[in-house]
Amino acid sequence: MKVTGVLPTLFLPVCRRLWPGRLAGLSMTLLRATALEAAILAGHLLLYPTGLVQERRSAALPAAGGAARLPVRPGPPVVLLHGFIDNRSVFVLLRRTLAQHGGQRVESLNYSPLTCDIRIAAELLARHIEEICERTGSARVDIVGHSLGGLIARYYAQCLGGDLRVRTLVTLGTPHSGTRVAPLADAHPIVRQMRPGSAVIEELARPAPGCRTRFVSFWSDLDSLMDPLETACLEHPDLDARNVRVSGIGHLALPVHPAVAAGIREALDAPHPGDQVADGLTVA
């Protein structure tokens, strides 16, 4: 998948601060990607307060026979999980796209910025997923996780039995094997857990026979938060995993770029071996 940022190069001063002494060697693609990242960051800072508001969740509609149903096409709810020091506002555009084109129920979750342990966050996610399944009447969900959110969701699916609930997990710029970027951030314990060789990363590398979740990992060749870049690829012999390379955009653009959104829709629409087919419709 190749996508390209198209903003003008008025953000060249940003590039000079990020890469001092190397501006002459930067390609136009990198300049565009940096400009796009800066613009997305500015917009996200404006939207951030809106993500602190409690999400409104409509109740299921009563169906004939007393069973609860939702006014959407068959398929599991889609749960969106944000990254480190972020909130659900990062998914404003993706949520709208999935709701308009997929027709499925979409919910975005917040976890506390004070979260200090991926394992605890995964346990809290498990409770949220159980509540969503009970409220919607769905046995399974799909999850889209950006950055740390993808790692939390993977730990839930792989290590806490969440594969019973998670049909497909899509990760966006998630450090599956750990990232070495920004060593000064090691003061935060959850950042240390995202380092190569951490106890959490080692747990995720262990055998996981029979894991029922399907994994799709989107990674960018210009993701400045992934070191090495390939850490955003999921490589595990026991997991049903597919990696999708995205060219021309950075870390912040992954949840908002329309081409990535199209790829996410495609991943979620793909039939799963555990799905049932009835009257020409795929039912999870």
Side-chain angles (χ1 to χ4, degrees):
M1 176 183 293
K2 184 174 182 179
V3 295
T4 304
V6 293
L7 296 184
T9 57
L10 52 89
F11 295 100
L12 289 178
V14 176
C15 300
R16 292 190 181 97
R17 287 195 296 270
L18 291 177
W19 295 284
R22 295 175 55 196
L23 185 59
L26 294 178
S27 67
M28 286 304 298
T29 299
L30 185 54
L31 291 175
R32 293 192 188 101
T34 304
L36 184 60
E37 290 284 281
I40 291 172
L41 177 60
H44 187 42
L45 289 175
L46 293 175
L47 289 174
Y48 191 91
T50 67
L52 301 174
V53 180
Q54 179 66 34
E55 185 176 65
R56 296 181 60 185
R57 293 166 182 165
S58 57
L61 298 179
R69 66 175 178 85
L70 293 170
V72 295
R73 71 172 187 174
V78 180
V79 179
L80 308 178
L81 196 61
H82 62 80
F84 181 56
I85 315 179
D86 211 338
N87 63 33
R88 64 169 62 94
S89 63
V90 72
F91 291 119
V92 168
L93 296 180
L94 179 60
R95 178 178 183 140
R96 183 180 305 167
T97 299
L98 292 177
Q100 290 177 344
H101 295 272
Q104 294 159 282
R105 185 186 187 96
V106 181
E107 298 198 9
S108 48
L109 301 178
N110 275 352
Y111 56 88
S112 172
L114 301 179
T115 299
C116 293
D117 194 304
I118 288 173
R119 304 176 189 90
I120 294 176
E123 292 173 358
L124 293 174
L125 174 62
R127 298 176 196 171
H128 282 299
I129 297 301
E130 290 302 317
E131 187 274 329
I132 290 172
C133 288
E134 181 178 358
R135 173 162 42 86
T136 63
S138 176
R140 308 195 79 185
V141 302
D142 291 333
I143 300 179
V144 179
H146 180 226
S147 196
L148 173 61
L151 207 60
I152 292 171
R154 180 185 167 192
Y155 192 93
Y156 163 58
Q158 185 179 329
C159 302
L160 300 181
D163 61 312
L164 287 171
R165 289 299 194 191
V166 182
R167 185 187 70 154
T168 300
L169 169 57
V170 177
T171 64
L172 311 173
T174 291
H176 287 289
S177 55
T179 177
R180 296 188 294 263
V181 77
L184 294 180
D186 280 350
H188 198 293
I190 210 164
V191 174
R192 294 197 296 270
Q193 289 184 334
M194 288 191 285
R195 296 300 190 203
S198 74
V200 168
I201 297 299
E202 291 298 322
E203 284 184 64
L204 292 172
R206 293 173 186 169
C211 183
R212 283 157 278 214
T213 298
R214 173 180 54 194
F215 299 85
V216 181
S217 302
F218 287 80
W219 68 284
S220 171
D221 55 10
L222 293 180
D223 191 332
S224 60
L225 295 186
M226 297 297 107
D227 181 17
L229 289 172
E230 293 76 10
T231 189
C233 298
L234 177 49
E235 304 289 350
H236 193 294
D238 294 331
L239 301 182
D240 176 8
R242 180 168 66 94
N243 297 302
V244 181
R245 175 174 175 170
V246 180
S247 297
I249 63 174
H251 189 77
L252 297 179
L254 286 167
V256 303
H257 201 285
V260 178
I264 294 171
R265 294 199 309 269
E266 180 182 346
L268 298 181
D269 287 343
H272 190 278
D275 294 344
Q276 298 177 348
V277 178
D279 299 327
L281 297 176
T282 300
V283 183

